[in-house]
Amino acid sequence: MCKWFAIITAKDSAFTIKDALLSIFNQTIKPSYVIVVDDGSIDDTPNILESMKQIYSNLYIIALPNKGYDIRRIVHNWNKALEYSKSLEETDYHFISADDCIYQDNYVQFLIERMNENPKLVIASGTRDSFKIKRFVKRVPEGAGRLIDNTFFKEIGYKYPPYYGYESWILFKALQLGFEVAHFYDVEFKHLRNFGSKHGFVEYGAMMRCLGYNPLFVIARCVRNIIFGTEEIPWKASLKMMLDYFLADIKFKNDEYYRYYDEEFRRFVNDSQKERLKKILNS
């Protein structure tokens, strides 16, 4: 039986965190443990977590001081959880979730079964149930709801880079190394809050520039979002993403999270997107 653990970052999530945790603990394949990083919540979240810990002994809480809200700290919180996991039971996978995500009971089991069938598949997710046009485009694994093979993850350092684009970096890194990633429509999850309501997609433009996204691909993605809403990103946010991408070197030049990835990696990302555009144009 494959083993997995979950990472949840929480911030003032008193209205959602209990349901989010129950959704994970009620999976048909139970998690070995769940690590919640509470990023300085000032509502009732800490009390709810402590009450849940009385029921689930394999719930571990990392409580951080309140430093206000900053979406960029999520990557540091993930890495704190990953470092803490080294002192716990070794598992085959880690699962990234959010403090407002609810999953089908067989969600993780489905992903594990698909990954067992294909040894090259190292990152997989289901789909957000709110997509308006689900099969309009080929999708990559979601940010929340993704399962990552820990053997692969150890090969690349067992940590996420603390820069814009860390969520997508791991997907491209897997592809660059000859592995596969997959997004499945067979299992779904939902956010109890409106998608993007906390972060407002503020990182996306800088993220695409740091990773080396092809400019034509960026334009096509943002225009597609504006017209079709395929990623459920509001049109104003999509427009801002595009502007931030082209102005990133000016707008984010003093931001410690704004760092280009290595040139070989950025070239791989750019070339991959050129090929995707060619296939679309030739289809």
Side-chain angles (χ1 to χ4, degrees), residues 29 62 65 86 116 135 148 151 153 156 195 198 217 275:
I29 297 180
I62 301 175
K86 294 178 182 178
N116 282 342
R135 301 179 188 273
I148 298 98
T151 299
F153 199 56
I156 60 174
F195 176 63
K198 273 197 169 184
F217 184 89
E275 288 303 311

Side-chain angles (χ1 to χ4, degrees), residues 10-75:
K11 176 73 173 180
D12 296 336
S13 52
F15 292 106
T16 61
I17 190 62
K18 183 176 180 179
D19 288 337
L21 282 170
L22 288 174
S23 178
I24 289 177
F25 281 116
N26 288 335
Q27 289 294 303
T28 50
I29 297 180
K30 306 300 181 188
S32 295
Y33 48 90
V34 177
I35 301 174
V36 177
V37 183
D38 181 11
D39 194 18
S41 294
I42 58 175
D43 64 358
D44 205 36
T45 299
N47 293 328
I48 295 171
L49 290 174
E50 286 300 328
S51 66
M52 294 290 286
K53 187 169 177 57
Q54 300 306 309
I55 302 171
Y56 299 98
S57 59
N58 57 343
L59 171 62
Y60 297 91
I61 304 164
I62 301 175
L64 303 178
N66 178 32
K67 295 182 179 179
Y69 178 76
D70 189 341
I71 187 66
R72 301 175 302 175
R73 281 203 302 273
I74 286 180
V75 62

Side-chain angles (χ1 to χ4, degrees), residues 5-11 35-41 62-65 67-85 96-97 160-162 166 257:
F5 77 92
I7 297 172
I8 297 178
T9 58
K11 176 73 173 180
I35 301 174
V36 177
V37 183
D38 181 11
D39 194 18
S41 294
I62 301 175
L64 303 178
K67 295 182 179 179
Y69 178 76
D70 189 341
I71 187 66
R72 301 175 302 175
R73 281 203 302 273
I74 286 180
V75 62
H76 295 294
N77 295 344
W78 284 4
N79 285 335
K80 284 183 173 69
L82 287 163
E83 186 65 28
Y84 188 80
S85 75
I96 298 295
S97 191
Y160 292 88
Y166 58 89
Y257 290 85

Side-chain angles (χ1 to χ4, degrees), residues 111-164:
L111 297 180
I112 288 176
E113 289 174 350
R114 300 294 82 73
M115 295 170 85
N116 282 342
E117 292 169 358
N118 180 5
K120 295 189 72 175
L121 179 57
V122 294
I123 308 171
S125 84
T127 192
R128 295 199 310 269
D129 71 345
S130 57
F131 277 126
K132 295 175 181 176
I133 308 176
K134 289 189 175 181
R135 301 179 188 273
F136 184 79
V137 290
K138 181 180 179 180
R139 296 198 55 78
V140 297
E142 301 294 326
R146 63 171 59 173
L147 191 69
I148 298 98
D149 182 294
N150 280 340
T151 299
F152 150 74
F153 199 56
K154 287 175 183 176
E155 289 183 22
I156 60 174
Y158 203 67
K159 63 187 296 186
Y160 292 88
Y163 312 130
Y164 289 123

Side-chain angles (χ1 to χ4, degrees), residues 257-274:
Y257 290 85
Y258 185 68
R259 297 287 186 276
Y260 280 8
Y261 293 87
D262 68 83
E263 191 56 38
E264 182 181 356
F265 176 82
R266 285 166 52 82
R267 187 162 52 248
F268 173 80
V269 173
N270 192 299
D271 290 345
S272 299
Q273 292 172 342
K274 284 181 182 178

